């Protein structure tokens, strides 16, 4: 994140506030909730970090043996943790009522909002961790069992700046510079054409709806692993993950979750009646979520809002080797595609742009990082935007992380609002 210092400051402010500052929840509980959230995606990196913090802040060591050792109140968060992480559109006011009306184990609304913010934050942060190759993988040959993933021959932890790799094709020899340059030029050309079309004529509301439904249905067929059939790959120092084996949850992670097999399911299920689309205009972060969060957990709303705005507007006006480029259209397509996979639709957005701007390998990467981050491989990271700098791909990951966090919050806060009315 230090490749984007402005964003990093904003991120650290909000994370520090939710973990350390005055708030409804005791400090050890905050770290335990972070562990529960990270465990939904088997994110050992975050789990280990918060196990240490949990103990440092006075947490009871026995709780680290698993959920059966924690108070019932914390255990009751299981269902909302599971739904938020994988299918947030299923959260209803009944889930909220169950938590706030359970006698001696009930949650106050401020406590619940604090917990929801932590869960959404750590689900999304797991996406960033896996998407940026920071998660240590288990390695039996290393004494502590973990090693850090590197991007080509650069360890991510050493990438304080971009200089060594910004002009290199990250995938090594197999992708020619010419290929990736023409890919870049084609993207620039599509952006230019879309801008001109936008100025010439506006699509009707009906057409916009049709394009959203089309994009939503097409996202069904974007399956992690697609890229492997379409792209050559370099002989990287890391083995690609074997998805079947990878989905086996190790016991040290599974102790913090229930129903480990529960995962993301496409919002628009093939051949089934799908759930009503969440129209963003009916419940927006700016008009609804922000004020509810601020009312129940003071100041966090301002910090989250600053972070969302920061990532959405962050730009250096560059694309790979090109300067003075307006990337607004591209940033919006990335953000809105994530929301599309979670069934959230913006009436004023033309989803035809998503198809024009996001190539298939990028869509596979986005869907994997957002919905199944633990399946992300280095090859997926390498296969899209091959001429772009590492810092630009980290920027993509920041956008995906914040779009995911906002989507989770919108569903949870809408359910809380419905409970209150």
């Amino acid at each position: 994140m230090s490749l984007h210092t402005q964003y990093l400051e904003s991120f650290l402010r909000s994370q520090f506030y939710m973990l350390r500052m005055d708030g409804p929840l005791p400090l050890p509980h905050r770290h335990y909730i972070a562990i529960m959230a990270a465990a939904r995606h088997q994110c050992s990196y975050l789990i280990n970090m918060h196990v240490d913090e949990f103990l440092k802040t006075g947490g009871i060591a026995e709780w680290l043996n698993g959920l059966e050792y924690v108070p019932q109140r914390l255990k009751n968060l299981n269902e909302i943790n599971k739904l938020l992480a994988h299918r947030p559109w299923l959260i209803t006011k009944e889930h909220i009522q169950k938590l706030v009306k359970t006698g001696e184990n009930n949650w106050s609304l401020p406590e619940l909002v604090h917990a929801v913010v932590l869960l959404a934050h750590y689900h999304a942060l797991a996406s960033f961790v896996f998407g940026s190759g920071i998660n240590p993988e288990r390695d039996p040959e290393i004494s502590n069992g973990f090693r850090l993933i590197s991007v080509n021959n650069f360890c991510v932890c050493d990438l304080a700046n971009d200089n060594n790799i910004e002009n290199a094709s990250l995938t090594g020899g197999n992708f020619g510079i010419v290929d990736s340059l023409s890919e870049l030029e084609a993207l620039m050309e599509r952006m230019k054409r879309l801008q001109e079309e936008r100025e010439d004529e506006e699509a009707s509301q009906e057409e916009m709806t049709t394009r959203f439904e089309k994009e939503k249905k097409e996202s069904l067929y974007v399956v992690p692993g697609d890229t492997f059939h379409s792209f050559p790959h370099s002989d990287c120092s890391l083995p690609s993950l074997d998805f079947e084996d990878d989905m086996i949850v190790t016991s040290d992670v599974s102790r913090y979750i229930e129903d480990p097999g529960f995962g993301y399911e496409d919002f628009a299920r093939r051949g089934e009646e799908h759930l009503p689309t969440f129209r963003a205009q009916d419940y927006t972060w700016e008009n609804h979520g922000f004020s509810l969060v601020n009312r129940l957990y003071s100041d966090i709303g301002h910090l989250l809002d600053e972070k969302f705005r920061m990532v959405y507007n962050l730009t250096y006006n560059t694309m790979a080797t090109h300067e003075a480029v307006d990337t607004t259209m591209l940033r919006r397509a990335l953000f809105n595609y994530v929301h599309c996979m979670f069934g959230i639709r913006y009436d004023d957005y033309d989803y035809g742009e998503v198809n024009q701007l996001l190539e298939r390998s990028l869509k596979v990467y986005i869907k994997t990082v957002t919905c199944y981050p633990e399946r992300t491989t280095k090859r997926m990271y390498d296969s899209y935007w091959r001429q772009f700098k590492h810092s630009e791909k980290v920027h993509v990951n920041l956008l995906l992380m914040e779009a995911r966090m906002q989507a989770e919050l919108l569903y949870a806060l809408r359910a809380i609002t419905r409970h209150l009315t």
Side-chain angles (χ1 to χ4, degrees):
M1 284 185 193
S2 62
L3 294 171
H4 304 281
T5 49
Q6 272 180 299
Y7 171 82
L8 178 61
E9 285 168 19
S10 183
F11 172 86
L12 291 175
R13 266 196 300 276
S14 64
Q15 185 171 262
F16 186 83
Y17 188 86
M18 63 181 86
L19 288 175
R20 308 253 182 235
M21 301 293 281
D22 284 349
L25 294 173
L27 297 185
H29 284 60
R30 301 178 195 192
H31 293 290
Y32 201 87
I33 290 167
I35 292 168
M36 288 171 70
R40 285 298 336 167
H41 289 305
Q42 305 156 47
C43 187
S44 315
Y45 175 82
L46 291 175
I47 291 169
N48 295 341
M49 190 183 290
H50 287 282
V51 161
D52 289 348
E53 291 297 320
F54 172 75
L55 294 171
K56 278 182 200 159
T57 51
I60 298 164
E62 191 187 18
W63 291 11
L64 299 174
N65 292 329
L67 286 178
E68 60 269 37
Y69 297 88
V70 305
Q72 188 61 42
R73 265 178 97 243
L74 269 178
K75 215 183 288 185
N76 289 348
L77 278 182
N78 254 315
E79 186 70 7
I80 206 163
N81 180 26
K82 179 175 90 172
L83 294 178
L84 262 184
H86 307 294
R87 301 177 210 167
W89 52 87
L90 296 179
I91 292 173
T92 63
K93 67 176 184 182
E94 283 73 30
H95 291 109
I96 306 303
Q97 280 159 358
K98 217 165 156 186
L99 287 164
V100 297
K101 294 181 177 169
T102 46
E104 65 197 54
N105 297 316
N106 72 311
W107 288 75
S108 70
L109 277 175
E111 286 173 329
L112 185 56
V113 166
H114 193 171
V116 159
V117 167
L118 283 164
L119 290 171
H121 177 78
Y122 281 99
H123 295 152
L125 190 52
S127 282
F128 179 82
V129 164
F130 282 111
S132 303
I134 301 165
N135 200 50
E137 287 186 339
R138 290 205 159 278
D139 189 336
E141 290 174 28
I142 291 178
S143 56
N144 68 358
F146 290 106
R147 61 187 166 84
L148 270 175
I149 292 177
S150 59
V151 176
N152 236 8
N153 297 316
F154 305 95
C155 178
V156 176
C157 43
D158 294 332
L159 286 173
N161 64 54
D162 244 4
N163 300 340
N164 295 323
I165 56 172
E166 62 184 23
N167 295 318
S169 172
L170 280 177
T171 47
N174 280 10
F175 285 131
I177 294 288
V178 178
D179 278 0
S180 49
L181 272 174
S182 57
E183 182 182 76
L184 171 65
E185 299 304 331
L187 176 58
M188 300 275 294
E189 190 51 46
R190 287 197 300 275
M191 285 170 70
K192 190 177 158 200
R193 194 177 66 244
L194 280 170
Q195 191 59 48
E196 287 163 1
E197 285 171 8
R198 199 191 267 178
E199 285 160 13
D200 288 348
E201 55 172 314
E202 254 186 47
S204 68
Q205 203 54 53
E206 199 177 339
E207 178 60 21
M208 301 264 253
T209 307
T210 307
R211 287 175 189 176
F212 171 77
E213 291 302 328
K214 183 169 179 274
E215 194 52 55
K216 195 169 70 174
K217 285 198 179 72
E218 281 186 7
S219 78
L220 294 174
Y221 300 97
V222 175
V223 182
D226 283 18
T227 39
F228 302 159
H229 308 303
S230 337
F231 290 90
H233 59 278
S234 57
D235 181 22
C236 359
S237 52
L238 300 174
S240 62
L241 303 183
D242 179 306
F243 287 176
E244 293 308 310
D245 292 349
D246 197 45
M247 292 314 289
I248 296 165
V249 185
T250 54
S251 60
D252 56 335
V253 170
S254 63
R255 71 180 79 170
Y256 300 118
I257 53 173
E258 283 175 3
D259 196 2
F262 188 91
Y264 174 82
E265 215 166 64
D266 290 289
F267 179 80
R269 297 283 302 285
R270 297 175 207 192
E272 284 185 22
E273 277 303 301
H274 53 261
L275 293 139
T277 294
F278 184 128
R279 290 179 69 252
Q281 281 69 11
D282 297 341
Y283 195 93
T284 66
W285 165 256
E286 293 79 7
N287 299 334
H288 306 93
F290 170 78
S291 54
L292 178 68
V293 165
N294 253 7
R295 180 155 57 93
L296 292 169
Y297 177 20
S298 62
D299 288 339
I300 193 66
H302 289 294
L303 292 165
L304 292 175
D305 191 59
E306 178 201 343
K307 185 162 65 87
F308 292 146
R309 286 175 195 274
M310 169 69 69
V311 80
Y312 199 74
N313 298 316
L314 182 68
T315 183
Y316 305 96
N317 298 111
T318 59
M319 271 176 68
T321 50
H322 293 261
E323 293 185 355
V325 185
D326 181 355
T327 59
T328 309
M329 185 184 282
L330 199 49
R331 284 179 279 125
R332 194 171 183 197
L334 289 162
F335 201 90
N336 288 0
Y337 185 58
V338 172
H339 280 197
C340 174
M341 287 185 297
F342 286 103
I344 298 171
R345 176 183 161 231
Y346 294 86
D347 286 351
D348 62 347
Y349 183 68
D350 179 358
Y351 287 85
E353 292 189 7
V354 165
N355 246 357
Q356 293 285 313
L357 297 173
L358 310 183
E359 58 185 84
R360 187 168 184 80
S361 60
L362 175 52
K363 282 184 172 180
V364 169
Y365 178 77
I366 293 169
K367 186 167 185 177
T368 309
V369 166
T370 308
C371 307
Y372 323 89
E374 61 279 9
R375 299 185 187 185
T376 312
T377 65
K378 180 179 177 296
R379 209 182 306 171
M380 287 178 186
Y381 178 94
D382 288 344
S383 70
Y384 83 93
W385 286 3
R386 292 165 289 178
Q387 191 60 20
F388 280 63
K389 302 170 193 170
H390 175 62
S391 65
E392 289 172 315
K393 292 192 168 193
V394 171
H395 188 176
V396 168
N397 287 340
L398 295 177
L399 274 162
L400 304 184
M401 167 171 73
E402 294 299 351
R404 177 182 179 181
M405 182 177 185
Q406 195 180 95
E408 287 192 25
L409 284 178
L410 284 172
Y411 278 110
L413 296 173
R414 182 179 69 169
I416 292 171
T417 299
R418 286 175 173 173
H419 159 72
L420 288 169
T421 45

